Amino acid sequence: MRINATRMTTPIEEKVDQKLKVRTGMVTVSDGKSRPIPVRLHLSMEVLRLQKEELIPLESKPLNAKERMVQIRRQKVGGLGLSIKGGAEHKLPILISRIYKNQAADQTGELFVGDAIIKVNGEYITACPHDDAVNILRNAGDLVVLTVKHYKAATPFLQKQEDKESQQTDSNSDEKEASDESLRLTTNSTSSRPSSIYSESEQEPQTRWVDLVTLPLMMAYVTRYIFGTDKLRPNAFEVRGLNGVSTGIIHCDDSAILSQWLKYITDNIIGLTNLQMKLYNRNFSVSDRIEYMGWVNEGVLNNNQPWQNYKPRFFALKGTDLMLFDSPPLNVMDWSKCPLMFKVYQTMFRVVKDSENVDERQHCFLVQTSGQDSRYFSVETRQELLKIENAWHCSVCTAVMKLGNKTFTVSCNGKTAGLTLDWNLGFSLHEGDSKTPVWQYKFSQLRGSSDDGKSKLKLHFQDSESRAIDTKELECSILQSLLFCMHAFLTAKVASVDPGFLCSMMP
């Protein structure tokens, strides 16, 4: 693949390397300020590389080049694919005069016109006449080891002779030339490789791909937004890695190819994240396992501006906790060092409707814990949003069943009492130390509730026999915490009665 200054996005090529799929394709990349430059994306399962194409410097041999050994495998039809000149009778070494393209000698990439053959399979031929050298080479076996040394001074003479020979016809070739030709392949093509390692202008430049950026995909994330804002980049995206490395802004002028790259890179990141999550969960109990982990962006209010900025957060649901990290945990011990944790059974989760979005960020959700302001988050895709929502409900169920029951201090008819939410028994009210409840209802008997947003709460239960509605009026100083916990117990109960509830939440 050669770089063309006008080349932009190219279709994605796929190949299998050691049973793993590798994808490559041309895009352009910039720092968001300067003009984009062409690069190649190279995507493997675990790493994304940005590569540039550069010329390989042609090797230059010194005048007195060192001896070198070259192994060449004789081809079944045609031999070694080279011609020789010289010999003791001419007071010249045995010199390689021609190397034929795509044939045995050429395929080594290590033999050149002007190389003197010093040894064949360890046997010196420097004192051999030409015909003896031909016979030694012809009978050297299928795998031939040549010891050679380059003579720069011989190159112009050999080139001149080659030019003369190319003008001769087969009918007037002499016997010596016939013996030369007996060492090369008898093909229809008489084209040969560039005649010398010194004739650089005659050789086609060779290129190689060099890594500009190497970004591990484990715990990385893809974003199409300008960092820290709600502004979507047109036909571009960025990949940010765990180690702080960024690809820069990757531009695709073809929307279909853009979508493909986003999918392929995201799929690889998700696959690696799920694998890491399974490895972590080997160290945790079933009730304390990780349900979800991944990057989100949290809206942060700016006191000096009417809009909010966005900050990347590593969002995890583990056991009974919602955990927010500035950087992902890298080992089991890091999970115990989370700077920001909330109990999921005391926290409300709500997907934000498109009509309710506060800015241009899409796929948003709210998380609110009792006594604290709501936290506003955004993810890159709807699929990821649904995945978080499903994981949230699973975490709530796990947390409630692990918790078993929760009691809140309330006031009922002017008396202090305890309202207990119990996974098995439902709602019950106890006064003082009495073990006998003043009243008790199953979760399924709750028909509705209302509150004043401060401390007063009404619970409307339906009597199982009379079918009449019985309203209980309570006051609670931590009303929001009570309401959130009620919601968690009811969500978990619905999920346990109807397993399809959680399945319906999956993307």
Side-chain angles (χ1 to χ4, degrees):
M1 186 183 295
R2 299 288 307 281
I3 287 181
N4 185 321
T6 61
R7 184 200 300 268
M8 300 296 281
T9 305
T10 62
I12 299 172
E13 298 178 4
E14 293 185 1
K15 67 177 182 178
V16 176
D17 183 10
Q18 298 181 351
K19 298 183 179 180
L20 295 176
K21 192 170 287 186
V22 174
R23 296 180 170 95
T24 57
M26 295 298 299
V27 294
T28 57
V29 67
S30 74
D31 60 4
K33 299 176 183 177
S34 55
R35 187 172 182 175
I37 60 171
V39 299
R40 183 175 80 158
L41 289 188
H42 181 284
L43 175 66
S44 63
M45 182 62 204
E46 297 182 349
V47 178
L48 175 65
R49 304 176 193 276
L50 273 68
Q51 301 175 322
K52 71 172 181 178
E53 194 176 24
E54 71 173 17
L55 292 172
I56 300 175
L58 294 172
E59 294 185 5
S60 294
K61 302 293 182 185
L63 184 61
N64 297 314
K66 294 182 179 180
E67 291 183 6
R68 61 192 196 279
M69 296 177 67
V70 180
Q71 182 173 282
I72 178 171
R73 184 174 294 276
R74 188 186 306 273
Q75 294 180 343
K76 291 183 179 180
V77 179
L80 299 177
L82 56 81
S83 293
I84 61 170
K85 287 189 179 296
E89 69 270 35
H90 304 294
K91 298 181 181 181
L92 288 171
I94 302 300
L95 296 166
I96 296 177
S97 60
R98 184 178 294 187
I99 294 175
Y100 293 88
K101 192 172 182 180
N102 298 325
Q103 298 180 13
D106 182 53
Q107 289 172 358
T108 68
E110 299 178 55
L111 293 172
F112 301 91
V113 169
D115 282 345
I117 302 175
I118 298 168
K119 298 179 187 178
V120 177
N121 291 339
E123 179 185 351
Y124 279 97
I125 65 167
T126 49
C128 289
H130 179 272
D131 290 345
D132 289 353
V134 169
N135 289 328
I136 290 171
L137 286 166
R138 182 180 293 139
N139 298 305
D142 290 337
L143 193 61
V144 183
V145 177
L146 301 181
T147 302
V148 298
K149 182 177 180 180
H150 193 77
Y151 283 86
K152 183 178 180 181
T155 303
F157 166 75
L158 294 172
Q159 286 178 325
K160 186 176 180 180
Q161 290 297 312
E162 183 178 348
D163 292 340
K164 287 182 179 179
E165 290 166 7
S166 64
Q167 297 171 4
Q168 295 176 352
T169 63
D170 292 340
S171 61
N172 61 11
S173 293
D174 60 20
E175 184 178 348
K176 183 161 76 78
E177 181 61 21
S179 67
D180 291 343
E181 298 299 314
S182 67
L183 293 175
R184 68 177 180 85
L185 285 176
T186 54
T187 64
N188 293 331
S189 172
T190 59
S191 62
S192 63
R193 203 177 61 174
S195 59
S196 171
I197 52 178
Y198 295 96
S199 54
E200 297 183 6
S201 62
E202 298 178 15
Q203 297 189 45
E204 181 180 348
Q206 302 218 353
T207 62
R208 62 187 171 193
W209 291 104
V210 179
D211 292 346
L212 295 174
V213 177
T214 300
L215 192 146
L217 295 178
M218 176 67 75
M219 306 283 198
Y221 70 96
V222 183
T223 180
R224 290 195 61 195
Y225 291 96
I226 298 174
F227 186 76
T229 76
D230 63 327
K231 305 304 179 187
L232 201 64
R233 296 185 187 276
N235 299 321
F237 65 95
E238 178 184 8
V239 185
R240 288 181 166 257
L242 174 65
N243 54 4
V245 174
S246 168
T247 56
I249 314 306
I250 298 170
H251 304 265
C252 293
D253 52 10
D254 185 304
S255 58
I257 295 176
L258 172 69
S259 298
Q260 284 182 312
W261 275 123
L262 288 170
K263 181 183 185 303
Y264 292 148
I265 296 170
T266 301
D267 285 351
N268 285 12
I269 291 173
I270 291 173
L272 291 170
T273 301
N274 289 341
L275 176 61
Q276 185 61 51
M277 191 163 69
K278 289 178 181 178
L279 294 175
Y280 280 143
N281 280 337
R282 291 179 180 178
N283 301 281
F284 304 127
S285 64
V286 174
S287 61
D288 202 32
R289 71 179 184 178
I290 305 165
E291 287 287 348
Y292 175 87
M293 64 182 197
W295 286 98
V296 300
N297 272 272
E298 181 178 8
V300 180
L301 290 175
N302 188 333
N303 294 329
N304 299 323
Q305 303 291 345
W307 61 82
Q308 60 184 355
N309 296 324
Y310 283 87
K311 179 180 180 180
R313 292 277 201 180
F314 195 76
F315 184 101
L317 295 169
K318 178 180 177 294
T320 62
D321 299 313
L322 159 62
M323 311 175 84
L324 293 174
F325 297 86
D326 289 326
S327 59
L330 300 180
N331 52 56
V332 174
M333 292 300 296
D334 284 351
W335 286 95
S336 62
K337 302 174 184 177
C338 180
L340 210 55
M341 296 173 60
F342 308 99
K343 294 297 180 185
V344 293
Y345 58 80
Q346 290 182 333
T347 306
M348 286 288 288
F349 173 95
R350 184 171 72 85
V351 173
V352 177
K353 297 178 181 178
D354 291 344
S355 59
E356 298 173 337
N357 289 341
V358 299
D359 52 30
E360 295 180 32
R361 282 262 179 176
Q362 299 176 324
H363 317 303
C364 303
F365 63 94
L366 284 169
V367 169
Q368 184 176 7
T369 300
S370 174
Q372 298 193 26
D373 292 333
S374 298
R375 291 179 176 270
Y376 190 87
F377 298 96
S378 168
V379 291
E380 292 291 321
T381 65
R382 175 162 178 78
Q383 181 183 13
E384 195 67 13
L385 178 59
L386 293 174
K387 192 175 175 183
I388 293 175
E389 184 180 22
N390 178 65
W392 182 273
H393 289 298
C394 290
S395 293
V396 167
C397 292
T398 300
V400 168
M401 286 187 278
K402 182 178 180 180
L403 182 66
N405 61 74
K406 179 76 173 173
T407 300
F408 293 86
T409 300
V410 297
S411 175
C412 181
N413 298 324
K415 297 181 181 180
T416 300
L419 176 66
T420 299
L421 309 177
D422 189 283
W423 173 250
N424 295 309
L425 302 176
F427 294 89
S428 61
L429 187 76
H430 295 76
E431 291 182 351
D433 297 330
S434 174
K435 294 184 179 180
T436 304
V438 176
W439 48 260
Q440 183 171 326
Y441 294 95
K442 297 178 180 179
F443 287 115
S444 58
Q445 291 179 266
L446 182 67
R447 289 293 175 267
S449 66
S450 58
D451 64 86
D452 65 355
K454 297 178 181 179
S455 62
K456 294 181 179 181
L457 170 66
K458 292 182 180 180
L459 299 175
H460 309 289
F461 299 102
Q462 185 175 49
D463 187 273
S464 57
E465 296 180 359
S466 66
R467 315 300 292 174
I469 299 298
D470 186 5
T471 298
K472 304 298 182 181
E473 296 187 12
L474 307 170
E475 286 194 36
C476 180
S477 60
I478 51 172
L479 179 62
Q480 193 176 54
S481 182
L482 169 58
L483 293 174
F484 289 176
C485 196
M486 275 177 52
H487 185 270
F489 270 80
L490 291 168
T491 298
K493 207 64 184 177
V494 170
S496 67
V497 173
D498 178 16
F501 170 75
L502 288 182
C503 294
S504 68
M505 303 305 298
M506 294 186 70

